[in-house]
Amino acid sequence: MTTTADALRPQRGGDEVLLGFTRALRAAGVPVTQDRAQGFLAAAAELGMGDRRATYLAGRATLCAGPDDLERFDQVFTAFFDARDGLPRTRPAPPSTAPTPSTLPLEEGSGTGDDAVDEDVVRAMASETEVLRHRDVAALSAAEKHRLSGLFATLQPRPPLRRTARHRTWHRGRVDASRTLRASLRRMGEPADIEWRRRSVRPRRLVLLVDVSGSMSGYADALLRLAHRFTQAGGVVETFTVGTRVTHVTRALRLRDPERALVAAGETVPDWSGGTRLGETLRFFLDRWGQRGLARGAVVVVFSDGWERGDPTLLGEQMARLRRIAHRVVWVNPHRGKAGYEPVQQGVVAALPHCDHFVAGHSLATFAELVEVVSRA
């Protein structure tokens, strides 16, 4: 006579396999929550665990949070079930003394005590952070933006360097004839060790122009946080916001606390989410600050998507003027790293011939790449 326990035992064995698959997904970076895992088990039971296609569709529908997860799901599904030689079948499972995991621990201390499960939890958390680093900051929720703000501390900007006319002692380079001769005279003309020298270096000025117009409103907060990181890293950093006017926000960003710095900058900028007149604002910047020396020999970074409401010819003229006095000009476009993007905006078309670098700037990972570009400029 078949008891209720005997009827449930095959299903329980299948659940263990599917829970193992969800742990493999989490280890691969797919954010599988406890609710999604339970929904997956219910859907697989309804469609039939022995049907590979049904289990595949149930998993894609319940375990994937967005389009970025689909490719990883397909890879893990193929690797996991091919290695197991198929899906779980309805057959009696051998008795086991180990407790059956019924939930997926998401926080420290919520696991079953198994070392392997704890390792999966740690790896999944690290993978979720890595996924967040590559997400478009304009598409994040408020909670995700709060988490991302803490990750800005992982960026370690280094100021670009320039050589000076002065020399310093070094272990190789050019022979320092004066010091070598003086050392020989101190030894009464006896040969002395050869002294070497090289050119000294100093931080090169860095100028940041952040577009805060309406089309850039989703990125303005993250870009000002990045500017704050550059300011706190040392060197000479000057930051301006551009939109319908130019605003100098360097003093606000010198506050050590990033939240207080962003609040102070927000109170300073009068044209948040306004229009975009890059040509006129860039001309005003060059007339008042840049031509007088602020941009001369500096690395100038322009953060903008290139949507220009004014005359693009004027923008091209001012970019050419900026290129003649700056050491390097870097244009950061938040759409640059997205699939299918083409630089067809009138502002970008006018500015690109006068830029040394055209880079992406829509995620923390692209900000880290920008930090390296600036440090090598």
Side-chain angles (χ1 to χ4, degrees):
M1 181 176 179
T2 303
T3 64
T4 302
D6 293 334
L8 292 177
R9 187 174 295 115
Q11 180 68 23
R12 184 179 303 170
D15 287 353
E16 293 177 3
V17 174
L18 297 184
L19 284 172
F21 170 62
T22 59
R23 286 195 292 269
L25 273 179
R26 293 174 62 229
V30 179
V32 179
T33 64
Q34 179 178 345
D35 293 339
R36 291 175 185 164
Q38 293 177 352
F40 172 51
L41 296 181
E46 183 70 23
L47 297 176
M49 291 189 181
D51 188 340
R52 180 186 181 93
R53 180 64 178 173
T55 304
Y56 171 79
L57 294 176
R60 283 174 66 96
T62 57
L63 300 178
C64 296
D68 296 340
D69 299 334
L70 297 178
E71 183 178 356
R72 293 184 182 179
F73 177 88
D74 293 343
Q75 296 173 352
V76 176
F77 186 90
T78 301
F80 186 87
F81 288 112
D82 285 354
R84 296 194 72 263
D85 192 19
L87 294 170
R89 302 296 180 184
T90 306
R91 59 177 182 270
S96 174
T97 58
T100 302
S102 58
T103 60
L104 289 177
L106 298 178
E107 298 178 354
E108 184 178 358
S110 61
T112 61
D114 187 9
D115 292 342
V117 175
D118 293 340
E119 182 181 358
D120 288 342
V121 172
V122 174
R123 291 173 59 190
M125 289 181 178
S127 299
E128 289 174 4
T129 300
E130 185 64 21
V131 170
L132 185 61
R133 291 184 69 253
H134 290 82
R135 291 279 303 278
D136 189 334
V137 297
L140 299 180
S141 64
E144 290 171 331
K145 288 182 179 180
H146 179 71
R147 288 181 55 198
L148 186 68
S149 64
L151 297 179
F152 272 85
T154 61
L155 299 177
Q156 301 296 330
R158 301 184 305 277
L161 302 176
R162 64 179 181 89
R163 293 195 302 174
T164 66
R166 295 180 177 272
H167 291 78
R168 58 180 297 187
T169 303
W170 199 242
H171 57 273
R172 65 175 183 271
R174 300 179 60 183
V175 175
D176 190 337
S178 299
R179 294 181 67 245
T180 302
L181 180 59
R182 288 196 298 269
S184 178
L185 292 176
R186 285 194 298 268
R187 296 166 61 93
M188 305 300 293
E190 293 292 331
D193 293 337
I194 296 178
E195 302 289 343
W196 306 89
R197 67 176 185 175
R198 72 165 187 174
R199 297 273 291 274
S200 298
V201 295
R202 294 184 59 186
R204 187 181 293 276
R205 183 182 293 109
L206 177 63
V207 179
L208 308 177
L209 304 178
V210 183
D211 187 347
V212 294
S213 62
S215 61
M216 290 287 292
S217 59
Y219 301 95
D221 179 83
L223 294 179
L224 286 177
R225 289 183 184 276
L226 177 61
H228 180 262
R229 290 298 302 161
F230 275 113
T231 303
Q232 298 299 315
V236 183
V237 182
E238 299 288 344
T239 305
F240 298 82
T241 61
V242 295
T244 57
R245 62 177 65 187
V246 182
T247 307
H248 195 193
V249 295
T250 301
R251 179 176 298 179
L253 295 181
R254 284 176 181 163
L255 297 174
R256 296 189 64 86
D257 182 74
E259 303 303 328
R260 292 180 57 194
L262 262 66
V263 170
E267 294 174 348
T268 305
V269 178
D271 56 338
W272 284 105
S273 301
T276 311
R277 295 200 299 266
L278 290 176
E280 296 178 16
T281 53
L282 188 57
R283 179 173 61 184
F284 180 81
F285 164 76
L286 290 173
D287 290 342
R288 182 169 180 178
W289 289 286
Q291 196 73 35
R292 296 182 179 182
L294 193 63
R296 191 173 299 277
V299 176
V300 181
V301 184
V302 182
F303 299 89
S304 177
D305 56 0
W307 287 105
E308 173 62 289
R309 293 188 177 181
D311 184 5
T313 305
L314 176 61
L315 176 59
E317 293 173 353
Q318 299 307 311
M319 287 296 296
R321 181 182 170 193
L322 174 64
R323 182 66 191 88
R324 286 194 294 268
I325 63 176
H327 175 69
R328 288 287 188 274
V329 177
V330 182
W331 189 288
V332 181
N333 190 317
H335 306 299
R336 172 73 169 85
K338 300 179 182 179
Y341 170 76
E342 295 291 339
V344 296
Q345 296 86 353
Q346 291 183 345
V348 175
V349 172
L352 274 184
H354 313 291
C355 296
D356 298 288
H357 303 279
F358 183 53
V359 300
H362 65 282
S363 65
L364 190 67
T366 57
F367 294 159
E369 296 174 359
L370 173 63
V371 165
E372 294 300 320
V373 171
V374 171
S375 66
R376 295 193 301 265

